[in-house]
Amino acid sequence: MFSLEIETLARLLIDEARERSLRIVTAESCTGGLVAGAICSIPGASDVFERGFVVYTNRAKQELLGVPGDLIADLGAVSEPVARMMAEGALEASNAHVAVAVTGVAGPGGGTPMKPVGTVHIATARSNQALMHRSELFDGVTRADIQEQAVQAALQALRDRMT
């Protein structure tokens, strides 16, 4: 179902989280649950995967993760502050230790000159540590290309938070 690179990253992530006794939560918009799906496709994921939030609409981001509506209205759902709030909200709404949030423009439409198709914000949060963020501009021919690259980047971002 997933590429070898994604399966490998997910397997490594699970092993590293298990070694550190850390539980993981995901908060996803443009990836629609694919990060959680990649993690859960690996046997033993239940040892470390706590839950996942698919918050595709702005309202879902507000209701499930506590992202302020005025923040979304001012900056748009595809922004660093919203990604950070999604990660923080997922951590607070779960029993996990590490969270990843993904929000972006997967295309083929919906892009703007300021936020072209392929723009993705990934934020990670870890209990009692600073939030981390990265912005990507993925180049893909299809929506699936961009989503796959976003999943891979999100898994790597989670791995980076394990240490």
Side-chain angles (χ1 to χ4, degrees), residues 22-108:
L22 297 174
R23 288 184 308 275
I24 299 165
V25 61
T26 59
E28 303 179 65
S29 187
C30 67
T31 49
L34 291 171
V35 177
I39 294 168
C40 294
S41 73
I42 305 300
S46 60
D47 293 343
V48 300
F49 187 73
E50 211 269 340
R51 70 181 73 175
F53 295 93
V54 177
V55 288
Y56 210 71
T57 66
N58 292 342
R59 184 173 181 171
K61 290 172 184 67
Q62 293 171 55
E63 291 177 358
L64 296 176
L65 302 178
V67 178
D70 59 345
L71 182 69
I72 295 171
D74 291 346
L75 301 173
V78 179
S79 64
E80 177 178 346
V82 169
R84 287 175 173 266
M85 291 291 300
M86 287 171 60
E88 196 171 64
L91 205 57
E92 290 175 10
S94 69
N95 294 312
H97 306 101
V98 184
V100 66
V102 184
T103 184
V105 184

Side-chain angles (χ1 to χ4, degrees), residues 13-14 35 51 53 58 66 68 77 103 113-114 140 146 148-149 160:
L13 172 66
I14 290 167
V35 177
R51 70 181 73 175
F53 295 93
N58 292 342
T103 184
M114 294 296 290
I146 292 166
E148 183 175 4
Q149 291 172 74
D160 293 346

